[in-house]
Amino acid sequence: MFGLVRATLRAFAIGAAVGVLFAPRPGAETRKMLNERIASFMNQILETAALPPIQPDRAATNGHAERPAAKRTRAAGTDARASS
């Protein structure tokens, strides 16, 4: 049992090393290609579900044009600990 696990891990490590050494394109290009493929796959799923498609440039920001600054403030007098 453990011999099979070791052989599997060894084969995975060798495959990853060979894949990195003989990669056909740079990492940035591969990531861009993967993002486009994932976006098109998600759009196909959304079309099947009859939902509006996601634009690839807005997918990384969860549908927002820009990430708003996360700023939360408390209104005066709403703290439960201070009301004693």
Side-chain angles (χ1 to χ4, degrees):
M1 172 71 177
F2 290 114
L4 178 65
V5 172
R6 266 187 269 160
T8 303
L9 290 175
R10 191 173 295 138
F12 176 78
I14 291 171
V18 169
V20 168
L21 291 174
F22 295 104
R25 58 187 146 295
E29 185 179 332
T30 302
R31 285 189 298 275
K32 182 180 177 184
M33 181 192 68
L34 282 174
N35 283 334
E36 290 172 356
R37 285 188 180 183
I38 290 170
S40 69
F41 177 70
M42 290 301 296
N43 284 334
Q44 288 176 353
I45 290 174
L46 293 175
E47 284 177 12
T48 303
L51 297 173
I54 298 172
Q55 300 301 322
D57 58 336
R58 295 182 70 142
T61 59
N62 199 21
H64 300 288
E66 296 179 9
R67 285 212 177 263
K71 191 173 185 180
R72 298 182 73 186
T73 59
R74 287 190 198 177
T78 60
D79 192 3
R81 291 174 285 176
S83 64
S84 5

